[in-house]
Amino acid sequence: MAGNIESSGATAPRPLAGRTALITPPGTSRMRVIANELKEAGVHVVNFAAGELDVDTSDVIKEAAKAAIDGKRNVYTPTLGLMPLRERIAAQLSERCGTPYTAAEVGVTAGAKQALFNAAMVLLDPGDEVIIPQPYWVTFPTQVEIAGARPVFVDTRETGYRLDVASIERAVTPRTKAIVINSPNNPTGVIYDRDAIVGVAELAVRNDLWIIFDECYSELVRPGHAHTNIVAACPVAKDRTVVVNSFSKSHALTGWRIGYAAGPSRVIKAMENLQGHTTSNPCSIAQYAVIEALRSGGRDFIDDVNRRLDERLDRALAIVHSMNVMGDGIGCAPAEGAFYLFLDIRSTIGKRHGGHIIPNVGALCERILSEAKVAVVPGSAFGDPTGIRLSYAIADEDVTEGLERLRRFFAAVE
């Protein structure tokens, strides 16, 4: 009996699964947490660390959600989403890509992050290698590692943060299974050009590789630039490509968690089996709301968002171009899409601010927060120890105030 078991004293807790060592908090979250704590304490912090629009979603979506609630649409849906939603996404993809997609080739997920996780789990085996351009969105390598595969990074800094097909090709080995492409890019804001996209597609075809194509910011493009979908640019790559997208950024729905994966039907079926044992269907109310957004078009809302972002970017770049450290300018990746500025701050490393040495980008960001009361994300979170990411999808006055604070901060580095 349990009462007769003699206690041998305190014992060490049983270890967790080994894979938990691969899973650490996203590097984008720490600065947001600290910034929010300071705000709650009454400190005026300009928060450039967020990865979402500062506008409310459209009335069309809100009214559709209310109608779904009133209509008692509160029950389970099919695992990969309502068929009318999958059909509308397939029709939209078919039009954009110029090649037909069916509902069987589309799966709706709880945000794009789940679509990416599903892709990693159904495509990758332990020991596989996955090529990821660097800087990268924080979750790409972690999901690859959770699947037992190994991320292989290709640095884009020396090519102006642009995709270089020759560098990608040099990274291919007999173990390479997939390439992850994210355009418009988070964190840099760069849109990869059509020739590079086609080059990667042709490389994948030659080497029998999967392509995971994350285009979550495809609707958020600055004037003079154009987003290229890899299937539209190279239709022959469709049978080896998983396109990942969401409504989080384009429709200001980050909290509603509706994304999707589009790819070969056998891949989507495998995702359905996996999702059936993890989350099951995404939120039913959000699905009905997105159906209405797709039915009505929603172009006015997206166009208005882009106009706001265009104005903020102009204001931001005017200040960024005046920043310098001991006479050296602060570099900036080409801000062509999404809503990020990615600054090259290598000129600050090893220097001092207020008598304190700056040993690395993490320390720099913490000092910027403590002294300038500005929250930014260290580039180390994205695999780049020489950069910082700022989101300009915040209030107009905060864009100006925050960047002026940064300009004064950098001017005091010696």
Side-chain angles (χ1 to χ4, degrees):
M1 294 177 60
N4 295 328
I5 296 176
E6 294 184 4
S7 173
S8 59
T11 59
R14 292 185 61 79
L16 300 177
R19 74 177 66 86
T20 60
L22 303 173
I23 309 170
T24 57
T28 52
S29 63
R30 172 173 166 75
M31 300 308 291
R32 287 201 300 267
V33 169
I34 297 174
N36 288 334
E37 289 174 350
L38 287 171
K39 283 188 174 182
E40 290 175 3
V43 178
H44 178 212
V45 174
V46 177
N47 187 4
F48 286 122
E52 59 185 343
L53 296 170
D54 68 320
V55 300
D56 194 9
T57 193
S58 70
D59 289 339
V60 169
I61 286 178
K62 289 190 287 187
E63 292 304 318
K66 292 173 187 175
I69 293 170
D70 292 340
K72 302 179 182 179
R73 308 291 193 183
N74 305 308
V75 298
Y76 291 127
T77 74
T79 298
L80 285 184
L82 295 161
M83 187 54 66
L85 178 54
R86 295 172 69 182
E87 289 171 345
R88 286 193 177 275
I89 293 171
Q92 185 186 69
L93 273 171
S94 299
E95 182 178 355
R96 285 204 302 120
C97 296
T99 188
Y101 277 87
T102 67
E105 296 172 297
V106 174
V108 184
T109 57
K113 190 174 288 187
Q114 184 180 25
L116 290 162
F117 179 78
N118 287 355
M121 295 303 290
V122 305
L123 297 181
L124 306 178
D125 285 315
D128 287 342
E129 293 179 352
V130 180
I131 297 173
I132 303 175
Q134 181 182 34
Y136 46 74
W137 181 55
V138 294
T139 297
F140 290 147
T142 298
Q143 291 187 341
V144 166
E145 290 171 337
I146 291 172
R150 185 174 77 89
V152 175
F153 304 116
V154 173
D155 198 336
T156 65
R157 288 178 295 176
E158 298 309 312
T159 53
Y161 302 100
R162 300 198 178 279
L163 198 61
D164 179 64
V165 179
S167 298
I168 299 289
E169 187 161 22
R170 286 193 293 271
V172 174
T173 75
R175 287 187 173 275
T176 305
K177 187 71 165 291
I179 304 172
V180 177
I181 300 298
N182 172 214
S183 180
N185 184 263
N186 178 7
T188 65
V190 171
I191 296 177
Y192 297 147
D193 65 66
R194 184 182 182 85
D195 287 347
I197 293 291
V198 170
V200 168
E202 293 174 344
L203 173 66
V205 171
R206 289 197 304 272
N207 291 275
D208 192 23
L209 306 177
W210 288 104
I211 303 165
I212 300 172
F213 189 73
D214 179 341
E215 57 171 4
C216 285
Y217 295 90
S218 59
E219 296 283 4
L220 304 179
V221 175
R222 306 285 66 79
H225 302 285
H227 166 68
T228 299
N229 175 284
I230 198 164
V231 175
C234 188
V236 72
K238 181 192 173 194
D239 290 342
R240 62 182 64 254
T241 300
V242 176
V243 174
V244 174
N245 209 327
S246 84
F247 301 92
S248 294
K249 313 298 182 180
S250 58
H251 292 71
L253 290 175
T254 50
W256 295 46
R257 313 311 302 138
I258 297 291
Y260 64 85
S265 57
R266 66 189 179 96
V267 174
I268 300 304
K269 180 61 180 177
M271 289 185 178
E272 180 178 25
N273 295 340
L274 172 65
Q275 192 162 305
H277 292 289
T278 53
T279 63
S280 193
N281 64 274
C283 172
S284 61
I285 302 303
Q287 288 186 65
Y288 283 104
V290 170
I291 288 173
E292 182 58 26
L294 292 178
R295 188 196 67 77
S296 63
R299 194 69 245 173
D300 289 346
F301 177 82
I302 296 171
D303 289 345
D304 182 62
V305 165
N306 275 314
R307 279 193 294 270
R308 295 187 190 201
L309 293 177
D310 294 343
E311 293 169 0
R312 289 172 182 174
L313 179 59
D314 288 344
R315 183 179 297 109
L317 288 178
I319 301 172
V320 167
H321 291 157
S322 71
M323 293 180 181
N324 67 82
V325 174
M326 299 178 67
D328 293 328
I330 296 290
C332 183
E336 300 165 341
F339 42 70
Y340 302 114
L341 293 174
F342 196 72
L343 306 186
D344 182 346
I345 50 76
R346 69 186 74 192
S347 59
T348 69
I349 304 303
K351 297 194 171 58
R352 294 180 178 273
H353 181 273
H356 295 267
I357 195 164
I358 302 171
N360 54 54
V361 69
L364 170 68
C365 291
E366 294 199 10
R367 185 144 187 88
I368 288 173
L369 183 54
S370 65
E371 297 300 313
K373 301 301 184 290
V374 174
V376 299
V377 183
S380 52
F382 311 104
D384 181 357
T386 65
I388 60 175
R389 191 194 77 176
L390 295 75
S391 167
Y392 56 89
I394 61 175
D396 293 354
E397 60 272 19
D398 281 345
V399 170
T400 301
E401 174 63 21
L403 288 172
E404 287 291 355
R405 292 183 189 183
L406 275 180
R407 186 183 59 77
R408 293 192 293 269
F409 178 93
F410 288 132
V413 172
E414 55 187 15

